[in-house]
Amino acid sequence: MLGESMSSRAYIGALVCVLLGLAASLAAVGVHYQILTTPDYASFCDVNATFSCTPAYQSAYGRIFGVPVAILGAGYFAALLALVTLGRRLEALASYLLVASLVGLVVVLYLAWATIFVLGTLCPLCLATYAAVVGLFFIAGAAASIPVIDVPDRFSRDIGRLTANPVALVAAVLIAGATMASAAFFPKAPEAAAP
């Protein structure tokens, strides 16, 4: 039985958005890694001067505090996947996804602005992650039956339930550990291009 706040259709839509974002983020990590380590690497997403990933990854917008945006995106979507699968029966699941997608929306709107208006390019993998966040925002917004103002109270109650689940604890540790390790061992970029 699904949580009261999400219909089966909304749940599947949210899951599809999360999986799309995770797949695009992981592909972006691979492309970014190849750009940094393989001379003359030609990415599949470098279609032409307009549709190209390389300028975005090589720019100052390709990293936040020195961590590749693609790794942060993969960690974000992996955490959402854990929430969607392990928190499937939570009544406030849609509201949690709405709050998470609001945070993601702020980030992707900034990155979309930077890639389109500052860099003058459209990164296909970036666009896929933007679509995933926007789709999740609309799906969760339509499915949420608990006001966002009540989310902190619900969260403090539900986090206790989730942390009592050993699978949830292992998933959280693995996601956090994999994200931090990936960021720590990812090749350092040469001096990023100034915006």
Side-chain angles (χ1 to χ4, degrees):
M1 173 88 184
L2 297 175
E4 291 176 28
S5 64
M6 290 193 86
S7 68
S8 178
R9 191 173 179 184
Y11 179 83
I12 300 236
L15 183 59
V16 167
C17 288
V18 168
L19 290 172
L20 169 66
L22 182 58
S25 295
L26 290 173
V29 169
V31 169
H32 196 161
Y33 180 84
Q34 290 296 327
I35 289 169
L36 293 173
T37 60
T38 306
D40 301 323
Y41 172 72
S43 169
F44 68 90
C45 65
D46 289 338
V47 179
N48 56 37
T50 303
F51 291 94
S52 180
C53 295
T54 300
Y57 299 150
Q58 289 180 332
S59 76
Y61 301 102
R63 290 179 180 260
I64 296 175
F65 301 115
V67 178
V69 171
I71 289 176
L72 296 173
Y76 170 80
F77 284 110
L80 288 179
L81 181 60
L83 175 63
V84 167
T85 56
L86 296 173
R88 186 173 183 176
R89 289 183 175 83
L90 296 175
E91 184 182 355
L93 177 60
S95 296
Y96 296 149
L97 292 174
L98 178 60
V99 170
S101 66
L102 279 169
V103 172
L105 197 59
V106 169
V107 173
V108 299
L109 287 174
Y110 170 73
L111 292 174
W113 168 82
T115 55
I116 295 167
F117 297 108
V118 177
L119 301 175
T121 188
L122 297 170
C123 166
L125 291 173
C126 303
L127 291 173
T129 61
Y130 304 163
V133 171
V134 171
L136 184 61
F137 171 75
F138 283 112
I139 290 167
S145 61
I146 294 168
V148 173
I149 193 88
D150 293 338
V151 167
D153 288 338
R154 293 284 184 142
F155 184 73
S156 62
R157 209 172 344 154
D158 288 340
I159 196 74
R161 269 194 257 163
L162 286 174
T163 55
N165 179 348
V167 175
L169 282 175
V170 169
V173 168
L174 287 176
I175 291 166
T179 302
M180 288 188 285
S182 298
F185 294 109
F186 203 81
K188 301 299 175 213
E191 192 63 35

